[in-house]
Each structure stands twice: as C-alpha cells, then as structure tokens.
Coordinates of all heavy atoms in Angstrom, one line a residue:
S21 N -12.5 -9.9 16.2 CA -13.5 -9.4 17.1 C -13.4 -10.0 18.5 O -13.8 -9.3 19.4 CB -14.9 -9.7 16.5 OG -15.1 -11.1 16.4
S22 N -12.8 -11.2 18.6 CA -12.7 -11.8 19.9 C -11.4 -11.5 20.6 O -11.2 -12.0 21.8 CB -12.9 -13.3 19.8 OG -11.9 -13.8 18.9
A23 N -10.5 -10.8 20.0 CA -9.2 -10.5 20.6 C -9.3 -9.9 22.0 O -10.1 -9.0 22.2 CB -8.3 -9.7 19.7
G24 N -8.5 -10.4 22.9 CA -8.5 -9.8 24.3 C -9.3 -10.6 25.2 O -9.1 -10.5 26.4
S25 N -10.2 -11.4 24.7 CA -11.0 -12.3 25.6 C -10.4 -13.6 25.8 O -9.5 -14.0 25.1 CB -12.4 -12.5 25.0 OG -12.4 -13.1 23.8
R26 N -10.8 -14.3 26.9 CA -10.2 -15.6 27.2 C -11.1 -16.7 26.4 O -12.2 -16.4 26.1 CB -10.3 -15.9 28.7 CG -9.5 -15.0 29.5 CD -9.7 -15.3 31.0 NE -11.1 -15.2 31.3 CZ -11.7 -15.8 32.4 NH1 -11.0 -16.5 33.2 NH2 -13.0 -15.6 32.6
L27 N -10.5 -17.8 26.2 CA -11.2 -18.9 25.5 C -12.5 -19.2 26.2 O -13.5 -19.5 25.6 CB -10.3 -20.1 25.4 CG -9.3 -20.2 24.2 CD1 -8.7 -21.6 24.2 CD2 -10.0 -19.9 22.9
V28 N -12.4 -19.3 27.6 CA -13.6 -19.6 28.3 C -14.8 -18.6 28.1 O -15.9 -19.0 28.3 CB -13.3 -19.8 29.8 CG1 -13.0 -18.5 30.5 CG2 -14.4 -20.6 30.6
D29 N -14.4 -17.4 27.8 CA -15.5 -16.4 27.6 C -16.2 -16.7 26.3 O -17.4 -16.4 26.2 CB -14.8 -15.0 27.5 CG -14.2 -14.6 28.8 OD1 -14.7 -15.0 29.9 OD2 -13.1 -13.9 28.8
R30 N -15.5 -17.2 25.3 CA -16.1 -17.5 24.0 C -16.7 -18.9 24.0 O -17.7 -19.2 23.3 CB -15.1 -17.4 22.9 CG -14.5 -16.0 22.8 CD -15.5 -15.0 22.3 NE -15.9 -15.2 20.9 CZ -16.6 -14.4 20.2 NH1 -17.1 -13.3 20.7 NH2 -16.9 -14.7 18.9
F31 N -16.0 -19.8 24.7 CA -16.4 -21.3 24.7 C -16.5 -21.7 26.2 O -15.5 -22.2 26.7 CB -15.4 -22.1 24.0 CG -15.2 -21.7 22.5 CD1 -14.1 -20.9 22.2 CD2 -16.0 -22.2 21.5 CE1 -13.9 -20.5 20.8 CE2 -15.9 -21.8 20.2 CZ -14.8 -20.9 19.9
P32 N -17.6 -21.5 26.8 CA -17.7 -21.8 28.3 C -17.4 -23.2 28.6 O -17.0 -23.5 29.8 CB -19.2 -21.4 28.6 CG -19.5 -20.4 27.6 CD -18.8 -20.8 26.3
G33 N -17.6 -24.2 27.7 CA -17.3 -25.6 28.0 C -15.9 -26.0 27.7 O -15.6 -27.2 27.8
V34 N -15.0 -25.1 27.4 CA -13.6 -25.5 27.1 C -12.9 -26.1 28.3 O -13.2 -25.8 29.4 CB -12.8 -24.2 26.6 CG1 -12.5 -23.3 27.8 CG2 -11.5 -24.6 25.9
P35 N -12.1 -27.1 28.1 CA -11.4 -27.8 29.2 C -10.6 -26.7 30.1 O -10.1 -25.7 29.6 CB -10.4 -28.7 28.5 CG -11.0 -29.0 27.2 CD -11.7 -27.8 26.8
T36 N -10.5 -27.0 31.3 CA -9.9 -26.1 32.3 C -8.5 -25.7 31.9 O -8.1 -24.6 32.1 CB -9.9 -26.7 33.7 OG1 -11.2 -27.1 34.1 CG2 -9.3 -25.8 34.7
K37 N -7.7 -26.6 31.4 CA -6.3 -26.4 31.0 C -6.2 -25.3 29.9 O -5.2 -24.7 29.8 CB -5.6 -27.6 30.5 CG -6.2 -28.2 29.2 CD -5.5 -29.5 28.8 CE -6.1 -30.1 27.5 NZ -5.4 -31.3 27.1
L38 N -7.3 -25.0 29.2 CA -7.3 -24.0 28.1 C -8.1 -22.8 28.4 O -8.1 -21.8 27.7 CB -7.8 -24.7 26.8 CG -7.0 -25.8 26.2 CD1 -7.7 -26.4 25.0 CD2 -5.6 -25.4 25.9
A39 N -8.8 -22.8 29.5 CA -9.8 -21.8 29.8 C -9.2 -20.4 29.8 O -9.8 -19.4 29.4 CB -10.5 -22.1 31.1
G40 N -8.0 -20.3 30.4 CA -7.4 -18.9 30.6 C -6.6 -18.4 29.4 O -6.1 -17.3 29.4
L41 N -6.5 -19.2 28.3 CA -5.7 -18.8 27.1 C -6.4 -17.6 26.5 O -7.6 -17.6 26.2 CB -5.6 -19.9 26.1 CG -4.7 -19.7 24.9 CD1 -3.3 -19.5 25.3 CD2 -4.9 -20.8 23.9
V42 N -5.6 -16.5 26.4 CA -6.2 -15.3 25.8 C -6.1 -15.3 24.3 O -5.1 -15.6 23.7 CB -5.4 -14.1 26.4 CG1 -5.9 -12.8 25.8 CG2 -5.6 -14.0 27.9
I43 N -7.2 -14.9 23.7 CA -7.3 -14.8 22.2 C -6.5 -13.5 21.8 O -6.8 -12.4 22.3 CB -8.7 -14.8 21.7 CG1 -9.5 -16.0 22.2 CG2 -8.8 -14.6 20.2 CD1 -10.9 -16.0 21.9
E44 N -5.6 -13.6 20.9 CA -4.8 -12.5 20.5 C -5.2 -11.9 19.2 O -5.9 -12.6 18.4 CB -3.3 -13.0 20.4 CG -2.7 -13.5 21.7 CD -1.3 -13.9 21.6 OE1 -0.5 -13.2 20.8 OE2 -0.8 -14.8 22.3
K45 N -4.8 -10.7 18.9 CA -5.1 -10.1 17.6 C -4.2 -10.9 16.6 O -3.0 -11.1 16.8 CB -4.7 -8.6 17.6 CG -5.1 -7.9 16.4 CD -6.6 -7.7 16.3 CE -7.0 -6.7 15.2 NZ -8.5 -6.6 15.1
W46 N -4.8 -11.3 15.5 CA -4.0 -12.0 14.5 C -3.0 -11.2 13.8 O -3.3 -10.2 13.1 CB -5.0 -12.6 13.5 CG -4.5 -13.1 12.2 CD1 -5.0 -12.8 10.9 CD2 -3.4 -14.1 12.0 NE1 -4.3 -13.5 10.0 CE2 -3.3 -14.3 10.6 CE3 -2.6 -14.8 12.8 CZ2 -2.4 -15.1 10.0 CZ3 -1.6 -15.6 12.3 CH2 -1.6 -15.8 10.9
E47 N -1.7 -11.6 14.0 CA -0.6 -10.9 13.4 C 0.5 -11.9 13.2 O 1.2 -12.3 14.1 CB -0.1 -9.7 14.3 CG 1.1 -9.0 13.8 CD 1.0 -8.6 12.3 OE1 0.1 -7.8 12.0 OE2 1.8 -9.1 11.5
P48 N 0.8 -12.2 11.9 CA 1.8 -13.3 11.6 C 3.2 -12.9 12.2 O 3.9 -13.8 12.6 CB 1.8 -13.3 10.1 CG 0.5 -12.8 9.7 CD 0.1 -11.8 10.7
A49 N 3.5 -11.7 12.3 CA 4.9 -11.3 12.7 C 5.1 -11.5 14.2 O 6.2 -11.6 14.7 CB 5.1 -9.8 12.4
T50 N 4.0 -11.7 15.0 CA 4.2 -11.9 16.4 C 3.8 -13.3 16.9 O 3.5 -13.5 18.1 CB 3.3 -10.8 17.2 OG1 1.9 -11.0 16.8 CG2 3.8 -9.4 16.8
L51 N 3.8 -14.2 16.0 CA 3.5 -15.6 16.4 C 4.5 -16.1 17.4 O 5.7 -15.9 17.3 CB 3.5 -16.5 15.2 CG 2.4 -16.5 14.2 CD1 2.6 -17.4 13.0 CD2 1.1 -16.8 14.9
P52 N 4.0 -16.9 18.4 CA 4.9 -17.5 19.3 C 5.5 -18.7 18.6 O 5.2 -19.0 17.4 CB 4.0 -18.0 20.5 CG 2.7 -18.2 19.8 CD 2.6 -17.1 18.7
K53 N 6.4 -19.5 19.3 CA 7.0 -20.7 18.7 C 5.9 -21.7 18.5 O 5.2 -22.1 19.4 CB 8.0 -21.3 19.6 CG 8.7 -22.5 19.1 CD 9.7 -23.1 20.0 CE 10.3 -24.4 19.5 NZ 11.3 -25.0 20.4
L54 N 5.6 -22.1 17.2 CA 4.6 -23.0 16.8 C 5.2 -24.1 15.9 O 6.1 -23.8 15.2 CB 3.5 -22.3 16.1 CG 2.6 -21.3 16.9 CD1 1.5 -20.7 15.9 CD2 1.9 -22.0 18.0
D55 N 4.6 -25.3 16.0 CA 4.9 -26.3 15.0 C 3.8 -26.3 13.9 O 4.2 -26.6 12.7 CB 4.9 -27.7 15.7 CG 6.0 -27.8 16.8 OD1 7.2 -27.5 16.4 OD2 5.7 -28.0 17.9
V56 N 2.6 -26.1 14.2 CA 1.5 -26.2 13.3 C 0.5 -25.0 13.5 O 0.2 -24.8 14.7 CB 0.7 -27.5 13.3 CG1 -0.4 -27.5 12.3 CG2 1.6 -28.7 13.1
L57 N 0.1 -24.4 12.5 CA -1.0 -23.3 12.6 C -2.2 -23.8 11.7 O -2.0 -24.1 10.5 CB -0.4 -22.0 12.0 CG -1.4 -20.8 12.0 CD1 -1.8 -20.4 13.5 CD2 -0.9 -19.6 11.3
F58 N -3.3 -23.8 12.4 CA -4.6 -24.0 11.6 C -5.2 -22.6 11.4 O -5.4 -21.8 12.3 CB -5.6 -24.8 12.5 CG -5.1 -26.2 12.8 CD1 -4.4 -26.5 13.9 CD2 -5.5 -27.2 11.9 CE1 -4.0 -27.8 14.2 CE2 -5.1 -28.5 12.2 CZ -4.3 -28.8 13.3

C-alpha cells in the first residue's frame, strides 16, 4: 500500500540520509544487491 512514497512520507522523523528512499513494490525478482533482507 505504501509503494511509490518516500520513507519520509510514512515516517516523518526518519534520518535525513534515508528520507528520500522510495518504497518499492515488493517483488523478489527485482531486488537490488543486498546482503540481508528483513
């Protein structure tokens, strides 16, 4: 439901370094390079 919004839109107190990260639609096939997934 939150896909397309920025983290700061959902969590206004998020640190500045993460504020602009865009929430993506969950799709395992399109994961970026990750070491750990929660």
Side-chain angles (χ1 to χ4, degrees):
S21 61
S22 58
S25 58
R26 300 174 302 160
L27 279 185
V28 72
D29 298 326
R30 301 290 293 187
F31 302 96
V34 73
T36 302
K37 65 180 180 179
L38 297 176
L41 186 65
V42 176
I43 300 173
E44 301 183 30
K45 188 74 173 178
W46 165 229
E47 176 47 63
T50 60
L51 284 178
K53 180 182 178 182
L54 292 177
D55 298 303
V56 180
L57 178 67
F58 294 90

